[in-house]
């Protein structure tokens, strides 16, 4: 029988005080303001617009997202105000979070080529899956998809030898990423990503889901919040969707826990094929 490890919780595994060289980037002020706004029960679009107006890049990203094929507008969106009304509060916040996170965490190494493009695809896939599940907020799923691998560029910038670790893991896909990272660096991208999410004022549900996103043993642990477990399962399904879009190589982690993730979500293999086709169509349309 496979022994069941304890899930990696922040209280047990995110103590990085022994890793002095690990540097979590500071949270951009605009992201602090955005998260504070989202926590307000009476927040409105005019307040969000005031945040967008501080950065021309945010405005351009918002208008671009509103004009994407996903929203199928008959007339082009040309203003921030129009974009906000088209996207709504939560979708707008998700787009802005993506832009601000990309600004805060550079991923310029060749080892992380197309990192943010893939992160955006992961986020879009997570939001699509959440809409099919009905009980998972799409904006929450989107943000988890966006953040879940952000530990990789942070570790690459901070930790000596992580470039070789990334190279080895890419060349040997059967290796356990988290195990190898911990053996070589005393931490892993899931924990570091969770620390970044916490430093960037993300809700506890997001932080915990990122910390646990390689721990499929948590799926039947009822002591862990069900939304967290659903996010973990949805992330593994999303990785499967991305893997089938990018390559035909089998994902060993999907082989190990894909069936358990589908069972947790109450999703059949046939439904997964339909979801994958729909999400791939978004990707091909430039989403």
């Amino acid at each position: 029988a496979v022994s069941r490890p304890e899930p990696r919780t922040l209280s047990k595994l995110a103590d990085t005080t022994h890793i002095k060289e690990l540097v979590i980037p500071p949270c951009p002020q605009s992201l602090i303001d955005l998260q504070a706004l989202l926590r307000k029960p009476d927040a409105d679009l005019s307040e969000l617009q005031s945040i967008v107006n501080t950065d021309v890049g945010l405005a351009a990203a918002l208008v671009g997202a509103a004009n994407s094929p996903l929203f199928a507008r008959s007339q082009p969106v040309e203003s921030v105000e129009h974009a906000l009304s088209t996207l709504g509060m939560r979708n707008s916040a998700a787009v802005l979070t993506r832009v601000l996170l990309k600004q805060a965490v550079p991923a310029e190494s060749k080892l992380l080529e197309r990192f943010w493009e893939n992160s955006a695809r992961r986020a879009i896939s997570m939001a699509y899956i959440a809409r099919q599940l009905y009980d998972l907020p799409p904006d929450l799923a989107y943000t988890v998809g966006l953040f879940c691998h952000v530990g990789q560029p942070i570790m690459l910038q901070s930790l000596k030898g992580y470039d070789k670790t990334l190279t080895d893991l890419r060349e040997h896909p059967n290796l356990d990423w988290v195990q190898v990272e911990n053996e070589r660096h005393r931490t892993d991208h899931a924990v570091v990503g969770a620390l970044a999410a916490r430093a960037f004022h993300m809700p506890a549900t997001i932080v915990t889901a990122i910390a646990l996103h390689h721990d499929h043993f948590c799926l039947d642990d009822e002591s862990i919040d069900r939304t967290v477990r659903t996010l973990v399962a949805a992330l593994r399904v999303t990785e499967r969707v991305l893997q089938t879009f990018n390559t035909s190589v089998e994902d060993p982690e999907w082989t190990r826990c894909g069936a358990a993730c589908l069972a947790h979500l109450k999703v059949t293999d046939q439904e997964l094929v339909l979801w994958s086709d729909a999400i791939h169509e978004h990707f091909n349309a430039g989403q």
Side-chain angles (χ1 to χ4, degrees):
V2 177
S3 61
R4 175 177 171 176
E6 292 186 37
R8 286 195 311 273
T9 62
L10 288 177
S11 62
K12 294 177 180 176
L13 291 174
D15 178 12
T16 58
T17 56
H18 61 291
I19 308 176
K20 302 299 183 182
E21 63 269 34
L22 185 64
V23 177
I24 304 297
C27 182
Q29 184 60 49
S30 293
L31 188 53
I32 295 174
D33 295 342
L34 176 61
Q35 292 303 312
L37 177 61
L38 293 174
R39 288 192 291 271
K40 292 175 58 176
D42 57 346
D44 61 42
L45 290 177
S46 64
E47 294 176 280
L48 187 56
Q49 185 171 350
S50 68
I51 295 174
V52 177
N53 288 341
T54 65
D55 187 328
V56 66
L58 295 181
L62 205 62
V63 171
N67 280 315
S68 70
L70 183 62
F71 292 93
R73 301 289 301 179
S74 58
Q75 297 294 325
V77 172
E78 298 180 349
S79 68
V80 169
E81 185 176 6
H82 193 186
L84 287 169
S85 64
T86 298
L87 296 171
M89 176 70 76
R90 295 293 170 179
N91 285 332
S92 296
V95 171
L96 299 176
T97 298
R98 183 186 71 204
V99 176
L100 292 166
L101 182 59
K102 183 177 179 180
Q103 291 174 356
V105 185
E108 299 173 354
S109 167
K110 289 184 178 179
L111 290 170
L112 295 173
E113 189 176 7
R114 303 177 74 178
F115 177 85
W116 287 114
E117 179 182 344
N118 288 330
S119 293
R121 285 175 172 170
R122 186 178 295 106
I124 289 167
S125 177
M126 283 288 287
Y128 178 91
I129 289 171
R131 286 192 290 270
Q132 314 315 306
L133 297 174
Y134 302 110
D135 60 347
L136 186 64
D139 59 301
L140 188 73
Y142 182 99
T143 304
V144 169
L146 192 64
F147 261 91
C148 77
H149 285 175
V150 78
Q152 292 178 12
I154 293 174
M155 292 175 72
L156 186 61
Q157 292 168 25
S158 301
L159 302 183
K160 184 178 180 179
Y162 190 68
D163 54 347
K164 185 177 187 307
T165 298
L166 270 181
T167 300
D168 291 346
L169 289 168
R170 298 254 175 90
E171 291 179 351
H172 302 90
N174 287 326
L175 292 175
D176 184 317
W177 275 67
V178 167
Q179 179 181 340
V180 172
E181 288 174 335
N182 276 289
E183 288 173 352
R184 297 186 183 184
H185 306 287
R186 296 178 294 163
T187 191
D188 59 72
H189 73 275
V191 167
V192 174
L195 288 171
R198 187 171 66 181
F200 282 25
H201 302 265
M202 295 293 123
T205 300
I206 291 176
V207 172
T208 306
I210 295 169
L212 297 176
H213 80 267
H214 282 290
D215 285 315
H216 66 275
F217 289 99
C218 77
L219 294 178
D220 59 355
D221 187 342
E222 295 187 0
S223 69
I224 298 172
D225 180 78
R226 179 167 179 80
T227 299
V228 168
R229 289 181 283 143
T230 300
L231 286 165
V232 170
L235 269 172
R236 180 45 44 198
V237 171
T238 282
E239 292 298 338
R240 178 61 174 173
V241 170
L242 293 176
Q243 182 262 334
T244 56
F245 181 73
N246 291 322
T247 178
S248 60
V249 177
E250 189 62 36
D251 175 8
E253 195 160 351
W254 179 256
T255 302
R256 291 194 296 270
C257 66
C261 292
L262 290 176
H264 180 83
L265 300 176
K266 297 181 173 58
V267 174
T268 66
D269 289 326
Q270 291 75 18
E271 286 175 308
L272 175 57
V273 170
L274 293 175
W275 290 2
S276 295
D277 289 345
I279 294 168
H280 292 173
E281 185 176 337
H282 286 316
F283 294 165
N284 289 324
Q287 295 308 300

